[in-house]
Structure formats: structure tokens, C-alpha cells
Amino acid sequence: MVEVAHLQVQICYAAPGLQILKDLDVAPGCTLQQAIIASGLAREQPAIDLSVCKVGIFGKVKPLETVLRDRDRIEIYRPLIADPKQSRRRRAIHKEQSAA
């Protein structure tokens, strides 16, 4: 087995009117949290609070302690501003009232 000197990962973050994709080289054994901190993204975007925001790899939520693999895409998710169930209920009520 060949030992890799570094891993290439990508960090993604999106907010209204903003989309950030950063390519980053990290050492083998690097965790999600270490890569996000090393990217400087948390400093650049004050809305990123790792104690609140969930993170994931390729659309699957993962803990901050997850060890990265080569070519992982790290995603930082924003907290929901509305409860999805409540939003669906409001849309259904509005649709019923519009149809009547």
C-alpha cells in the first residue's frame, strides 16, 4: 500500500447570494474540523459556527471528528430558519384557500 503525502479535499459553503468552493491539501489523518479551520473559511464567514452548523461529506452529515479521505467534498450546512413541517402545513393551507 502506497502512503499518500497529502489528501486533496474541497470545502463547500453556500448562503443567500454566496457560494464558496475551496480546494485544500491536508495531511493524512486530518479531521473535518481541522480541515475547516485550516481553510480559514470559519474566519472569513462569521455565520459559520461549528458548534451550531452541521457538516457532512458528499451530502451525508458527519461528526467533526471524521477522518478525511482523498477527494472528499466537505459541506458546511446552515441552520434551518424555518421548520420544514410548519412550512409544508402553511403551503397546504394556502393552496386549499386559493382553490376554494
Side-chain angles (χ1 to χ4, degrees), residues 9-44:
V9 298
Q10 185 175 60
I11 299 181
C12 307
Y13 177 72
L18 174 71
Q19 180 178 341
I20 298 172
L21 297 172
K22 279 192 171 194
D23 293 321
L24 190 66
D25 289 338
V26 298
C30 183
T31 65
L32 270 168
Q33 183 173 17
Q34 291 168 333
I36 293 168
I37 291 169
S39 74
L41 194 55
R43 270 191 322 275
E44 296 168 15

Side-chain angles (χ1 to χ4, degrees), residues 57-91:
I57 298 174
F58 290 114
K60 295 188 179 185
V61 176
K62 302 284 185 179
L64 288 169
E65 301 80 29
T66 301
V67 176
L68 298 172
R69 295 186 295 186
D70 196 33
R71 307 275 182 211
D72 275 347
R73 185 183 68 218
I74 301 166
E75 299 164 346
I76 303 170
Y77 308 115
R78 293 178 291 126
L80 294 176
I81 57 173
D83 179 7
K85 289 182 183 179
Q86 291 291 345
S87 296
R88 281 193 294 275
R89 284 187 194 111
R90 279 195 299 272
R91 284 194 304 272

